Amino acid sequence: MRNMLKATTLERKFPLLAVENGCIISKDADITVAFRVELPELFTVTSAEYEAIHSAWYKAIKVLPDYSIVHKQDFFIKENYQPDTERDELSFLSRSFERHFNERPFLNHYCYLFLTKTTRERSRRQSDFSTLCRGRIVPQEIADKEAAAKFIEAVGQFERIMNDSGFVTLTRLAASEITGQDGKAGIIEKYFSLSQTDTTCLKDIGLYPEEMRVGDDILCLHTLSDVEDLPGKVGTDCRFEKLSTDRSDCRLSFAAPVGVLLSCNHVYNQFIFIDDHAENLKNFEQTARNMQSLSRYSRANQVNKEWIDEYLNEAHSKGLISVRCHCNVMAWSDDRDELKRIRNDVGSQLALMECKPRHNTVDTPTLFWAGIPGNEADFPAEESFYTFLGQALCLFVEETNYKSSLSPFGIKMVDRVSGRPLHIDISDLPMKKGITTNRNKFILGPSGSGKSFFTNHMVRQYYEQNAHVLLVDTGNSYLGLCEMINRKTHGEDGIYFTYTTENPIAFNPFYVEDGIFDIEKKESIKTLILTLWKRDDEAPTRAEEVALSNAVSSYIELITKDSSVTPCFNTFYEYVKTDYRAHLQEKNVREKDFDIENFLNVLEPYYRGGEYDYLLNSDKQLDLLDKRFIVFELDNISENKVLYPVITLIIMETFLTKMRRLKGIRKVLLLEEAWKAIAKAGMAGFIKYLCAPVQAA
């Protein structure tokens, strides 16, 4: 007569007793502490850092007592991006950006860690001892308070070691997060529903021999439970060929193929069982002796004996810790055709790890049951394999998908894997974390790679967050954005300057509104004149720099005392030609130290009546202090070796004025085709000088 499986309630078979003091207590007196785990983001970890993460796990697990279980559970759930378009302050482009990515699918990652203290007897039980197959049997260990206290102390040490690593963050889950409350699901409810949303409605679970169901979802399970299924060599990380080049490596953890790179709903369970190390080795030695005595009957016994000997030699000579390990990938779908594709995908990803894909069709219910948070001790011992702790840790997934920054300031970018929008702070947060010491950015790429597109996207968002943006453009890359801002502000902002012969850009380097010349202003004037005076390949001597500094300082002293002298380049030129020449003669300055005739001759085109006399003698000042989006388009003079560096310095002076007077306001200076601007030594020096106060501005 065929045996018919009868229905029962989850309450009758539920393996957990209570949650006390943040610990999950099973009906067999097992104690479990649960953590939420934050891992480094994808493609942000180097090979050396993976080694450091692996070392941190190793050190942390070593503090746990015997008969402990480490269960790392990674949920990867398909979700759709929900745009935030209801805010009134959103601009047209921001709203359009959000709408473009509406319902964009992506794989979200939720990582948990469960540390369980069980007993020697429980750790050896096989699947026929599962709570699915028997009633409640309360062991005597439930009264062992001392063992529980030692375990809790070890868990605290475990947590500190991992958090101090700087890569992995553990956050202990409160009782409400485990059990759920006020309409919010806890992690146990989420596990039974194969979801990470706040669902409080449990689904029917079908534990059929041919397949397992949770609601409408059909599960497929792949396991790593035999040494024969594993690769000959494992590592802390591997090379991701798709994004790697000859000059740079893109690294991922060894188990990444079954992590964020597996694009389907799945759970990756990683178990490490810490037994009595000395007892394990003793049992292996006994097994080796048995194999030796049986070797005459089968060659396989002799081979097995040699393998055990090698294992024991490694353990004794290198001081390695013997543990049991098990990993499984539990994927699901409510569509059978899709489930076939998922089953093949999981097998392919395991093959990328050089593992033998083993589709488990027998123990799926038992392994699902053992994956319940707090029920790790109900794991069937026959599904685990012996290895060393270091090798077992290589099977941990060590990275997560990209997360939005919590910083209020930032820009919208997209996940390189799924294309999901993210809020990323590329200015303040790297400085707070100590990654960099300034906010400067360098955008590099070949033609057509999207440099200008990204820059438009970035400066537009900076502008919308009340930053002052000044751009030096070539090629009209920012004309459209500038015109849009100009129309939106009714001409109050979005100022676009283009150099033309009829209306050239001109300014007065010697003009200051308050009449006070600080060190920065004097330095900018000196840099400007040096740029005009010296060629690219002609560096000024120390004597020439001192003479020029003295000339600028004495001229500034003159115009501050004598209001009849109009501050401009014309009067400066005349001052050097007359008064400063006499001053040099009085000090007996030699011609080889400062050739004043050469100086006057080179700068004559910028003096009254010269070819560029308009450039430095403007009678009207550019009032751009309160304008938040300014573009200087210099395409017409980008190849002019005289005008381009000078005009660029003029623009820098405008920005420097903002730096001096707009305290506490974020400012952005962007140089398109910056290599042309820094080709001149004086210009490069000025930019270097300008970047110094950026950190504080």
Side-chain angles (χ1 to χ4, degrees), residues 506-678:
F507 89 130
N508 186 350
F510 295 95
Y511 174 84
V512 289
E513 188 177 8
D514 53 7
I516 299 174
F517 291 84
D518 55 17
I519 296 174
E520 292 177 348
K521 182 65 175 176
K522 292 178 181 178
E523 188 68 25
S524 66
I525 295 172
K526 176 187 169 183
T527 302
L528 173 62
I529 296 173
L530 274 175
T531 303
L532 300 174
W533 181 23
K534 295 292 184 178
R535 297 193 305 267
D536 295 345
D537 57 349
E538 188 181 359
T541 64
R542 179 60 180 162
E544 289 173 335
E545 288 185 359
V546 171
L548 181 58
S549 282
N550 291 336
V552 171
S553 298
S554 55
Y555 173 75
I556 290 173
E557 186 178 350
L558 172 67
I559 60 178
T560 50
K561 291 181 179 179
D562 190 355
S563 58
S564 63
V565 180
T566 304
C568 63
F569 183 79
N570 286 337
T571 55
F572 172 75
Y573 185 89
E574 292 167 356
Y575 171 77
V576 174
K577 191 175 182 179
T578 55
D579 295 3
Y580 193 65
R581 185 200 294 270
H583 177 70
L584 292 176
Q585 291 175 352
E586 290 177 8
K587 294 183 69 177
N588 295 321
V589 176
R590 296 173 299 180
E591 184 179 325
K592 69 175 185 178
D593 292 330
F594 182 69
D595 190 350
I596 192 169
E597 298 300 334
N598 171 267
F599 179 81
L600 294 171
N601 182 57
V602 173
L603 297 184
E604 190 176 5
Y606 307 96
Y607 179 61
R608 188 182 293 110
E611 183 180 1
Y612 306 111
D613 62 346
Y614 58 86
L615 198 59
L616 307 175
N617 296 287
S618 175
D619 57 353
K620 54 182 179 181
Q621 300 305 313
L622 299 177
D623 187 17
L624 302 175
L625 184 65
D626 297 324
K627 308 300 182 185
R628 293 200 300 110
F629 198 91
I630 309 163
V631 179
F632 289 90
E633 203 284 316
L634 305 181
D635 204 38
N636 293 338
I637 60 168
S638 60
E639 302 300 326
N640 191 310
K641 294 183 178 181
V642 176
L643 287 177
Y644 185 76
V646 176
I647 297 298
T648 308
L649 280 172
I650 293 173
I651 298 165
M652 294 266 186
E653 173 64 23
T654 304
F655 184 77
L656 200 57
T657 303
K658 289 180 177 287
M659 296 281 291
R660 293 193 198 99
R661 300 181 59 185
L662 300 177
K663 302 297 184 182
I665 298 175
R666 194 178 299 271
K667 298 163 280 288
V668 179
L669 172 65
L670 194 139
L671 298 176
E672 187 87 0
E673 303 288 349
W675 63 272
K676 294 180 180 178
I678 63 177

Side-chain angles (χ1 to χ4, degrees), residues 146-165:
E146 185 179 350
K150 289 181 179 179
F151 173 70
I152 298 300
E153 184 181 348
V155 168
Q157 296 174 7
F158 185 105
E159 183 181 2
R160 284 192 296 274
I161 292 171
M162 294 307 302
N163 288 336
D164 290 344
S165 69

Side-chain angles (χ1 to χ4, degrees), residues 224-343:
L224 296 177
S225 54
D226 196 319
V227 177
E228 294 181 358
D229 300 337
L230 298 174
K233 187 177 181 181
V234 296
T236 58
D237 60 306
C238 60
R239 191 170 189 261
F240 188 63
E241 297 293 343
K242 190 176 180 180
L243 297 179
S244 298
T245 66
D246 295 338
R247 296 185 177 182
S248 62
D249 273 358
C250 197
R251 311 299 296 187
L252 289 174
S253 64
F254 183 80
V258 292
V260 290
L261 299 184
L262 179 57
S263 59
C264 64
N265 289 321
H266 67 286
V267 178
Y268 181 48
N269 289 298
Q270 307 120 81
F271 293 88
I272 294 178
F273 304 90
I274 305 167
D275 301 323
D276 188 331
H277 172 68
E279 187 180 356
N280 281 351
L281 298 185
K282 184 179 179 182
N283 291 336
F284 273 117
E285 288 174 355
Q286 180 63 46
T287 304
R289 287 193 292 271
N290 293 340
M291 291 292 175
Q292 177 69 27
S293 63
L294 297 172
S295 61
R296 69 180 67 181
Y297 302 106
S298 173
R299 180 68 179 171
N301 292 330
Q302 180 63 32
V303 173
N304 288 336
K305 193 262 182 186
E306 291 174 1
W307 279 112
I308 294 173
D309 285 342
E310 187 172 347
Y311 182 88
L312 290 170
N313 290 337
E314 286 279 317
H316 288 298
S317 63
K318 297 182 180 180
L320 304 179
I321 300 173
S322 175
V323 297
R324 287 184 294 122
C325 181
H326 169 89
C327 297
N328 64 65
V329 181
M330 195 184 308
W332 63 88
S333 175
D334 57 359
D335 184 78
R336 291 191 177 275
D337 292 334
E338 186 185 11
L339 189 66
K340 290 180 181 178
R341 180 187 63 79
I342 289 174
R343 188 183 298 125

Side-chain angles (χ1 to χ4, degrees), residues 257-511:
V258 292
V260 290
L261 299 184
L262 179 57
S263 59
C264 64
N265 289 321
H266 67 286
V267 178
Y268 181 48
N269 289 298
Q270 307 120 81
F271 293 88
I272 294 178
F273 304 90
I274 305 167
D275 301 323
D276 188 331
H277 172 68
E279 187 180 356
N280 281 351
L281 298 185
K282 184 179 179 182
N283 291 336
F284 273 117
E285 288 174 355
Q286 180 63 46
T287 304
R289 287 193 292 271
N290 293 340
M291 291 292 175
Q292 177 69 27
S293 63
L294 297 172
S295 61
R296 69 180 67 181
Y297 302 106
S298 173
R299 180 68 179 171
N301 292 330
Q302 180 63 32
V303 173
N304 288 336
K305 193 262 182 186
E306 291 174 1
W307 279 112
I308 294 173
D309 285 342
E310 187 172 347
Y311 182 88
L312 290 170
N313 290 337
E314 286 279 317
H316 288 298
S317 63
K318 297 182 180 180
L320 304 179
I321 300 173
S322 175
V323 297
R324 287 184 294 122
C325 181
H326 169 89
C327 297
N328 64 65
V329 181
M330 195 184 308
W332 63 88
S333 175
D334 57 359
D335 184 78
R336 291 191 177 275
D337 292 334
E338 186 185 11
L339 189 66
K340 290 180 181 178
R341 180 187 63 79
I342 289 174
R343 188 183 298 125
N344 292 333
D345 288 348
V346 175
S348 300
Q349 294 300 100
L350 286 170
L352 288 177
M353 297 167 59
E354 299 182 19
C355 297
K356 183 179 179 180
R358 186 178 294 275
H359 182 220
N360 196 307
T361 58
V362 177
D363 287 330
T364 302
T366 307
L367 292 174
F368 173 84
W369 204 252
I372 300 171
N375 196 41
E376 284 76 13
D378 217 19
F379 188 90
E382 73 271 16
E383 287 289 340
S384 62
F385 60 90
Y386 282 95
T387 184
F388 297 120
L389 179 57
Q391 283 76 356
L393 287 171
C394 292
L395 300 176
F396 274 24
V397 167
E398 302 290 7
E399 58 275 307
T400 184
N401 57 338
Y402 294 102
K403 306 290 185 183
S404 290
S405 173
L406 298 176
S407 175
F409 182 84
I411 64 173
K412 282 285 187 179
M413 301 184 75
V414 296
D415 185 328
R416 74 169 77 190
V417 176
S418 63
R420 170 182 57 131
L422 299 163
H423 175 81
I424 305 296
D425 183 0
I426 59 174
S427 297
D428 297 348
L429 196 61
M431 291 188 63
K432 291 179 181 177
K433 289 184 174 182
I435 299 172
T436 184
T437 57
N438 59 68
R439 297 179 178 88
N440 304 324
K441 297 168 184 63
F442 189 76
I443 304 170
L444 178 66
S447 296
S449 59
K451 298 187 299 296
S452 295
F453 182 87
F454 166 74
T455 308
N456 267 283
H457 178 70
M458 179 180 69
V459 298
R460 188 263 303 172
Q461 294 183 81
Y462 278 4
Y463 171 79
E464 291 176 357
Q465 296 177 80
N466 299 317
H468 281 240
V469 181
L470 193 151
L471 296 108
V472 182
D473 186 19
T474 55
N476 298 298
S477 301
Y478 309 97
L479 178 60
L481 178 60
C482 193
E483 288 180 344
M484 188 194 74
I485 294 174
N486 188 271
R487 287 194 300 269
K488 186 178 179 180
T489 59
H490 306 288
E492 295 296 321
D493 211 338
I495 311 301
Y496 197 85
F497 291 99
T498 300
Y499 188 98
T500 61
T501 307
E502 296 78 19
N503 188 25
I505 299 173
F507 89 130
N508 186 350
F510 295 95
Y511 174 84

Side-chain angles (χ1 to χ4, degrees), residues 95-134:
R95 200 178 302 277
S96 300
F97 179 89
E98 291 288 329
R99 286 174 176 169
H100 175 77
F101 293 98
N102 184 35
E103 296 293 323
R104 176 66 63 93
F106 67 96
L107 201 67
N108 215 351
H109 181 202
Y110 306 87
C111 185
Y112 302 99
L113 181 71
F114 307 104
L115 304 179
T116 301
K117 179 68 176 74
T118 185
T119 61
R120 182 172 180 268
E121 289 73 21
R122 285 270 286 163
S123 66
R124 296 181 176 183
R125 288 177 180 173
Q126 299 189 354
S127 54
D128 54 347
F129 275 86
S130 172
T131 52
L132 281 173
C133 308
R134 61 187 175 84

